[in-house]
Coordinates of all heavy atoms in Angstrom, one line a residue:
Q37 N -131.5 -97.4 -66.0 CA -131.9 -98.1 -64.8 C -133.3 -97.7 -64.3 O -133.7 -98.0 -63.2 CB -130.9 -97.8 -63.7 CG -129.6 -98.4 -64.0 CD -128.6 -98.1 -62.9 OE1 -128.3 -96.9 -62.7 NE2 -128.1 -99.1 -62.2
L38 N -134.1 -97.0 -65.2 CA -135.4 -96.5 -64.9 C -136.4 -97.1 -65.8 O -136.1 -97.3 -67.0 CB -135.5 -95.0 -65.0 CG -134.6 -94.1 -64.1 CD1 -134.7 -92.7 -64.5 CD2 -134.9 -94.4 -62.7
S39 N -137.6 -97.4 -65.3 CA -138.7 -97.8 -66.2 C -140.0 -97.0 -65.7 O -140.1 -96.8 -64.5 CB -139.0 -99.3 -66.2 OG -139.4 -99.8 -64.9
F40 N -140.8 -96.7 -66.6 CA -142.0 -95.9 -66.4 C -143.2 -96.7 -66.8 O -143.4 -97.0 -67.9 CB -141.9 -94.6 -67.1 CG -140.7 -93.7 -66.7 CD1 -139.5 -93.9 -67.3 CD2 -140.9 -92.8 -65.7 CE1 -138.4 -93.1 -66.9 CE2 -139.8 -92.0 -65.3 CZ -138.6 -92.2 -65.9
E41 N -144.1 -96.9 -65.8 CA -145.3 -97.8 -66.0 C -146.5 -97.2 -65.4 O -146.5 -96.3 -64.6 CB -145.0 -99.2 -65.4 CG -143.8 -99.9 -65.9 CD -143.4 -101.1 -65.1 OE1 -144.1 -101.4 -64.1 OE2 -142.5 -101.8 -65.5
D42 N -147.7 -97.8 -65.8 CA -148.9 -97.5 -65.1 C -149.0 -98.5 -63.9 O -148.2 -99.3 -63.8 CB -150.2 -97.5 -66.0 CG -150.4 -98.8 -66.6 OD1 -149.8 -99.8 -66.2 OD2 -151.2 -98.9 -67.6
T43 N -150.1 -98.4 -63.1 CA -150.2 -99.3 -62.0 C -150.4 -100.7 -62.4 O -150.3 -101.6 -61.5 CB -151.3 -98.8 -61.0 OG1 -152.5 -98.6 -61.8 CG2 -150.9 -97.4 -60.4
S44 N -150.8 -101.0 -63.6 CA -151.0 -102.3 -64.1 C -149.7 -103.0 -64.7 O -149.7 -104.1 -65.1 CB -152.1 -102.4 -65.2 OG -153.3 -101.9 -64.6
G45 N -148.6 -102.2 -64.7 CA -147.4 -102.7 -65.2 C -147.1 -102.5 -66.7 O -146.1 -102.9 -67.2
N46 N -148.0 -101.7 -67.3 CA -147.9 -101.4 -68.8 C -147.0 -100.2 -68.9 O -147.1 -99.2 -68.2 CB -149.2 -101.1 -69.4 CG -150.1 -102.3 -69.3 OD1 -149.8 -103.4 -69.5 ND2 -151.4 -102.0 -68.9
T47 N -146.1 -100.2 -69.9 CA -145.2 -99.0 -70.2 C -146.0 -97.9 -70.7 O -146.9 -98.0 -71.5 CB -144.1 -99.4 -71.2 OG1 -143.4 -100.5 -70.7 CG2 -143.2 -98.2 -71.5
I48 N -145.8 -96.7 -70.1 CA -146.5 -95.5 -70.5 C -145.5 -94.4 -70.8 O -144.4 -94.4 -70.4 CB -147.6 -95.0 -69.5 CG1 -146.9 -94.8 -68.1 CG2 -148.7 -96.0 -69.4 CD1 -147.9 -94.2 -67.1
T49 N -146.0 -93.3 -71.6 CA -145.1 -92.2 -71.9 C -145.6 -90.9 -71.3 O -144.9 -89.9 -71.5 CB -145.0 -92.1 -73.4 OG1 -146.3 -91.9 -74.0 CG2 -144.3 -93.3 -74.0
S50 N -146.8 -90.9 -70.7 CA -147.3 -89.7 -70.1 C -148.2 -90.0 -69.0 O -148.8 -91.1 -68.9 CB -148.0 -88.8 -71.1 OG -149.1 -89.4 -71.7
L51 N -148.4 -89.1 -68.1 CA -149.3 -89.2 -67.0 C -150.4 -88.2 -67.2 O -150.2 -87.0 -67.2 CB -148.7 -88.9 -65.6 CG -147.9 -90.0 -64.9 CD1 -147.4 -89.6 -63.6 CD2 -148.8 -91.2 -64.7
Q52 N -151.7 -88.6 -67.2 CA -152.8 -87.7 -67.3 C -153.1 -87.1 -66.0 O -152.6 -87.6 -64.9 CB -154.0 -88.5 -67.8 CG -153.9 -89.2 -69.1 CD -153.7 -88.2 -70.3 OE1 -154.4 -87.2 -70.3 NE2 -152.9 -88.6 -71.2
P53 N -153.8 -86.0 -65.9 CA -154.1 -85.4 -64.6 C -154.8 -86.4 -63.7 O -155.7 -87.1 -64.1 CB -155.0 -84.2 -65.0 CG -154.6 -83.8 -66.4 CD -154.2 -85.1 -67.0
Y54 N -154.3 -86.5 -62.5 CA -154.8 -87.4 -61.4 C -154.5 -88.8 -61.6 O -155.0 -89.7 -60.9 CB -156.3 -87.1 -61.2 CG -156.6 -85.6 -61.0 CD1 -157.3 -85.0 -61.9 CD2 -156.1 -84.9 -59.9 CE1 -157.5 -83.6 -61.8 CE2 -156.3 -83.6 -59.8 CZ -157.0 -82.9 -60.7 OH -157.2 -81.6 -60.6
Q55 N -153.7 -89.2 -62.6 CA -153.3 -90.6 -62.9 C -152.1 -90.9 -62.0 O -151.2 -90.0 -61.8 CB -153.0 -90.8 -64.3 CG -152.6 -92.2 -64.7 CD -152.2 -92.3 -66.2 OE1 -152.2 -91.4 -66.9 NE2 -152.0 -93.6 -66.6
V56 N -152.0 -92.1 -61.6 CA -150.8 -92.6 -60.8 C -149.9 -93.4 -61.7 O -150.4 -94.3 -62.5 CB -151.2 -93.4 -59.6 CG1 -150.0 -94.0 -58.9 CG2 -152.1 -92.6 -58.6
G57 N -148.6 -93.1 -61.7 CA -147.6 -93.8 -62.5 C -146.6 -94.4 -61.6 O -146.5 -94.1 -60.4
V58 N -145.8 -95.3 -62.1 CA -144.8 -96.1 -61.3 C -143.5 -95.8 -62.0 O -143.3 -96.0 -63.2 CB -145.1 -97.6 -61.3 CG1 -144.1 -98.3 -60.6 CG2 -146.5 -97.8 -60.7
I59 N -142.5 -95.4 -61.1 CA -141.1 -95.3 -61.6 C -140.4 -96.5 -60.9 O -140.4 -96.6 -59.6 CB -140.5 -94.0 -61.2 CG1 -141.1 -92.8 -61.9 CG2 -139.0 -94.1 -61.6 CD1 -140.6 -91.5 -61.6
K60 N -139.8 -97.4 -61.7 CA -139.0 -98.5 -61.1 C -137.6 -98.2 -61.3 O -137.1 -97.9 -62.4 CB -139.4 -99.8 -61.7 CG -140.8 -100.2 -61.4 CD -141.1 -101.7 -61.7 CE -142.5 -102.0 -61.2 NZ -142.8 -103.4 -61.3
V61 N -136.9 -98.1 -60.2 CA -135.4 -97.8 -60.1 C -134.7 -99.1 -59.9 O -134.9 -99.8 -58.8 CB -135.1 -96.8 -59.1 CG1 -133.6 -96.5 -59.0 CG2 -135.9 -95.5 -59.3
T62 N -133.9 -99.5 -60.8 CA -133.1 -100.8 -60.7 C -131.7 -100.4 -60.3 O -131.0 -99.7 -61.1 CB -133.1 -101.6 -62.0 OG1 -134.5 -101.8 -62.3 CG2 -132.4 -102.9 -61.9
L63 N -131.2 -101.0 -59.2 CA -129.8 -100.8 -58.7 C -129.1 -102.1 -58.6 O -129.7 -103.1 -58.3 CB -129.9 -100.1 -57.4 CG -130.6 -98.7 -57.3 CD1 -130.6 -98.3 -55.8 CD2 -129.9 -97.7 -58.2
D64 N -127.8 -102.1 -58.9 CA -127.0 -103.3 -58.9 C -126.8 -103.7 -57.4 O -126.8 -104.9 -57.2 CB -125.6 -103.1 -59.5 CG -125.8 -102.8 -61.0 OD1 -126.7 -103.4 -61.6 OD2 -124.9 -102.1 -61.6
T65 N -126.7 -102.8 -56.5 CA -126.5 -103.1 -55.1 C -127.7 -102.6 -54.3 O -128.2 -101.5 -54.6 CB -125.2 -102.6 -54.5 OG1 -125.2 -101.1 -54.7 CG2 -124.0 -103.1 -55.2
A66 N -128.0 -103.3 -53.3 CA -129.2 -102.9 -52.5 C -128.8 -101.7 -51.6 O -127.7 -101.5 -51.2 CB -129.6 -104.1 -51.5
L67 N -129.9 -100.9 -51.4 CA -129.7 -99.8 -50.4 C -129.6 -100.4 -49.0 O -130.2 -101.4 -48.8 CB -130.9 -98.8 -50.5 CG -131.1 -98.1 -51.9 CD1 -132.4 -97.3 -51.9 CD2 -129.9 -97.2 -52.2
T68 N -128.8 -99.8 -48.2 CA -128.6 -100.3 -46.8 C -129.9 -100.3 -46.0 O -130.5 -99.2 -45.9 CB -127.6 -99.5 -46.1 OG1 -126.4 -99.5 -46.9 CG2 -127.3 -100.1 -44.7
S69 N -130.4 -101.4 -45.6 CA -131.6 -101.6 -44.9 C -131.6 -100.7 -43.6 O -130.7 -100.7 -42.9 CB -131.8 -103.1 -44.5 OG -133.1 -103.2 -43.9
G70 N -132.7 -100.0 -43.4 CA -132.9 -99.2 -42.2 C -132.3 -97.8 -42.4 O -132.6 -96.9 -41.5
Q71 N -131.5 -97.5 -43.4 CA -130.9 -96.2 -43.6 C -131.8 -95.3 -44.4 O -132.6 -95.8 -45.2 CB -129.6 -96.4 -44.3 CG -128.8 -95.1 -44.5 CD -127.4 -95.3 -45.1 OE1 -126.9 -96.3 -45.0 NE2 -126.9 -94.2 -45.7
T72 N -131.8 -94.0 -44.1 CA -132.7 -93.1 -44.8 C -132.0 -92.6 -46.1 O -130.8 -92.4 -46.1 CB -133.1 -91.9 -43.9 OG1 -132.0 -91.2 -43.5 CG2 -134.0 -92.4 -42.8
Y73 N -132.8 -92.4 -47.1 CA -132.3 -91.9 -48.4 C -133.3 -90.9 -48.9 O -134.5 -90.8 -48.4 CB -132.2 -93.1 -49.4 CG -131.2 -94.1 -49.1 CD1 -131.5 -95.2 -48.4 CD2 -129.9 -94.0 -49.6 CE1 -130.5 -96.2 -48.1 CE2 -128.9 -94.9 -49.3 CZ -129.3 -96.0 -48.6 OH -128.3 -97.0 -48.3
T74 N -132.9 -90.1 -49.8 CA -133.8 -89.1 -50.4 C -133.9 -89.3 -51.9 O -132.8 -89.4 -52.6 CB -133.3 -87.7 -50.2 OG1 -133.2 -87.4 -48.8 CG2 -134.2 -86.6 -50.8
I75 N -135.1 -89.5 -52.4 CA -135.3 -89.6 -53.8 C -135.9 -88.3 -54.3 O -136.7 -87.7 -53.6 CB -136.2 -90.8 -54.2 CG1 -136.3 -90.8 -55.8 CG2 -137.6 -90.6 -53.6 CD1 -137.0 -92.1 -56.3

């Protein structure tokens, strides 16, 4: 349920120093709107 990408949407396998990466978490059900969660 995880995907790892750069900010352009390309799949990457490592983050260089000072680089920003994206973790996309796919869930079957939505998190409850307005409720706090901890990642």
Side-chain angles (χ1 to χ4, degrees):
Q37 294 177 299
L38 300 174
S39 66
F40 298 88
E41 304 172 352
D42 62 14
T43 53
S44 299
N46 302 314
T47 301
I48 57 174
T49 58
S50 64
L51 276 182
Q52 300 296 322
Y54 310 111
Q55 181 181 7
V56 175
V58 177
I59 297 177
K60 291 195 175 185
V61 179
T62 303
L63 302 175
D64 293 329
T65 58
L67 299 175
T68 305
S69 182
Q71 185 173 336
T72 59
Y73 293 90
T74 302
I75 184 170

